[in-house]
Amino acid sequence: MARQNIYDNEAFFEDFREKRTSEINFNDCIETPILFSMLPDLRGKDVLDIGCGMGQHTRKFAEMGAASVLGIDISEKMLAWAVEHNSAEAVTYRRMAMEDMDALEERFDVIISSLAFDYAEDFEGLLRSIHRLGREKAALVFSMSHPLATAWTGQYTRYTWSDARERLYANLSHYTVEGLRKVSWVVDGYECYHRMFSSLINALVQAGFVIEECRESTMSDEMRAKYPETFGGTLHRPDFIFFRCGWAG
Ligand SMILES: C[S@@+](CC[C@H](N)C(=O)[O-])C[C@H]1O[C@@H](n2cnc3c(N)ncnc32)[C@H](O)[C@@H]1O
């Protein structure tokens, strides 16, 4: 099974690190506030953070009162940053691919993932693994790139621009063609997986989850007006999709 580890590519890591630690970025301004607003009370809970990256969220979950937080990630560079900058007493970082989570002996009350499921070739299998890792009454809260964003094949520009450099439309093609997207994004050969909205829903239900909330990212007019180059596209389509799920039965 394919498991690209692009965050250990020097150029890709540096670009991501720079964006993720800058003041105005998609994670902090769009994704994180929505994800955190969907979390249950973490006090006293055992939490798993899948694709924890540089550990910003992982440490925050500990600060929110989690009894333990295990952050797993495939990237050595991301984890090295996490250990250096986002360590805390309740936090453990472990290098592990999400495809290998069946090997985990721990069980969790809350399983969280922020923008890592884009990289799962076998989304159904991933959800089955997650389902096994949850204790009774567990919660799964995750974000991923929105299907309207992952449809992009790299063969056309994402937006149609006016002469005055305003984004007029979000372009869309090949939405119904699911599977691998191999595109030039920061580096050549960046890989992620596209799934239609219905496939996400059906995979969750079939794996034994109850969908309690689904959200799509939006951005305020104020922020769009202040940072048109960065956030202008948020008018036309959501960048991220979010689910909060419980365990069925
Ligand atoms: C967009 S980053 C998000 C990181 C972090 N959750 C955050 O909010 O900043 C995606 C992360 O998923 C990790 N990742 C990609 N494929 C993975 C895999 N197969 N198993 C585990 N982690 C993976 C990457 O190494 C990267 O750290």
Side-chain angles (χ1 to χ4, degrees), residues 11-49:
F12 192 89
F13 172 78
E14 270 312 311
D15 183 85
F16 183 81
R17 187 195 56 74
E18 210 226 295
K19 283 185 188 131
R20 188 74 176 85
T21 54
S22 67
E23 200 190 330
I24 302 301
N25 65 61
F26 272 61
N27 301 72
D28 292 328
C29 298
I30 304 180
E31 191 263 353
T32 303
I34 300 174
L35 184 86
F36 275 64
S37 76
M38 295 172 74
L39 293 178
D41 185 355
L42 298 185
R43 282 174 296 178
K45 303 282 172 58
D46 293 316
V47 175
L48 173 63
D49 183 5

Side-chain angles (χ1 to χ4, degrees), residues 120-141:
E121 183 181 7
D122 178 9
F123 187 57
E124 293 77 10
L126 173 71
L127 292 176
R128 283 195 297 273
S129 295
I130 291 172
H131 198 270
R132 283 191 284 272
L133 291 170
R135 292 194 179 120
E136 210 183 327
K137 297 205 174 122
L140 166 66
V141 183

Side-chain angles (χ1 to χ4, degrees), residues 62-162:
E63 288 167 2
M64 290 163 74
S68 73
V69 192
L70 173 62
I72 66 157
D73 202 283
I74 199 171
S75 161
E76 202 174 348
K77 284 185 191 297
M78 296 292 266
L79 286 174
W81 179 282
V83 168
E84 189 179 342
H85 298 273
N86 287 310
S87 283
E89 205 181 321
V91 169
T92 305
Y93 291 110
R94 194 176 301 168
R95 190 168 185 206
M96 174 180 256
M98 57 186 151
E99 291 82 355
D100 297 334
M101 287 191 303
D102 281 343
L104 285 174
E105 285 173 4
E106 297 92 335
R107 291 296 177 264
F108 304 92
D109 304 302
V110 185
I111 300 178
I112 305 168
S113 183
S114 172
L115 301 179
F117 291 174
D118 298 21
Y119 304 107
E121 183 181 7
D122 178 9
F123 187 57
E124 293 77 10
L126 173 71
L127 292 176
R128 283 195 297 273
S129 295
I130 291 172
H131 198 270
R132 283 191 284 272
L133 291 170
R135 292 194 179 120
E136 210 183 327
K137 297 205 174 122
L140 166 66
V141 183
F142 69 92
S143 64
M144 56 196 298
S145 295
H146 195 282
L148 291 176
T150 55
W152 187 58
T153 60
Q155 287 156 347
Y156 56 98
T157 53
R158 284 182 183 268
Y159 294 95
T160 300
W161 296 78
S162 72

